[in-house]
Amino acid sequence: MKVVIQRVSSASVTIDEKIVANIQKGLLVLVGIEDADTQEDSNWLVGKIVNLRIFGDENQVMNLSVKDIDGDIIVVSQFTLHASTKKGNRPSYIKASKPEVAIPLYENFVKRLEMELGKKVQTGIFGADMKVLLLNDGPVTIQMDSKNKE
């Protein structure tokens, strides 16, 4: 699984001109799933995301997690995180999972985040044409890949 985590002052997801998710201070998490991904990949990422110390403490040192600040999370599925641009100019998405594989892992990822965060996690709608609006705070943007745990 690949994720792009953005620390935000606010974020929202709109589908067909209707806001389906909306948060203030917290994280916008874009997640891409491939066939090789397992529950172990999901669990590792969830643990990292909720405990990632990227929010400022009283001295403005990035020392607090989203959990510590009682922040919110929006999760958006994004198969394009698995784009291969090796050949030509048109990206290939062959590594991205089909919905029948990705949706159960995505839904479980969201449930695990809710359990670890201790509150509801907002989401887009899997496979929908979404408009994602965010105010990146910092900016702070972090990429993680469960297959490359650096």
Side-chain angles (χ1 to χ4, degrees), residues 10-80:
S10 62
S12 65
V13 178
T14 301
I15 300 171
D16 295 328
E17 298 183 22
K18 181 181 176 217
I19 295 174
V20 297
N22 189 27
I23 65 168
Q24 294 305 307
K25 192 170 189 160
L27 300 174
L28 172 66
V29 179
L30 306 174
V31 60
I33 299 169
E34 66 179 352
D35 286 346
D37 292 330
T38 66
Q39 197 56 56
E40 184 179 319
D41 294 294
S42 178
N43 293 346
W44 181 79
L45 284 169
V46 165
K48 290 299 243 181
I49 291 166
V50 298
N51 294 300
L52 201 59
R53 297 182 340 179
I54 58 172
F55 291 90
D57 63 15
E58 65 277 357
N59 298 314
Q60 295 311 307
V61 174
M62 284 197 280
N63 207 23
L64 301 173
S65 69
V66 68
K67 201 170 175 176
D68 295 332
I69 66 154
D70 194 31
D72 292 308
I73 297 177
I74 292 181
V75 175
V76 174
S77 62
Q78 189 163 357
F79 74 93
T80 60

Side-chain angles (χ1 to χ4, degrees), residues 66-135:
V66 68
K67 201 170 175 176
D68 295 332
I69 66 154
D70 194 31
D72 292 308
I73 297 177
I74 292 181
V75 175
V76 174
S77 62
Q78 189 163 357
F79 74 93
T80 60
L81 292 179
H82 286 287
S84 173
T85 57
K86 188 174 181 175
K87 290 198 239 175
N89 293 317
R90 183 175 182 197
S92 168
Y93 304 106
I94 198 150
K95 286 184 79 177
S97 285
K98 301 287 185 251
E100 57 272 10
V101 173
I103 290 173
L105 198 52
Y106 170 81
E107 290 174 347
N108 192 270
F109 176 76
V110 171
K111 285 179 188 166
R112 296 273 314 173
L113 273 174
E114 289 176 338
M115 286 174 33
E116 292 294 322
L117 190 61
K119 65 164 91 172
K120 179 91 173 122
V121 168
Q122 296 190 48
T123 65
I125 296 176
F126 194 96
D129 180 19
M130 296 175 268
K131 306 303 179 213
V132 179
L133 182 66
L134 69 137
L135 182 56

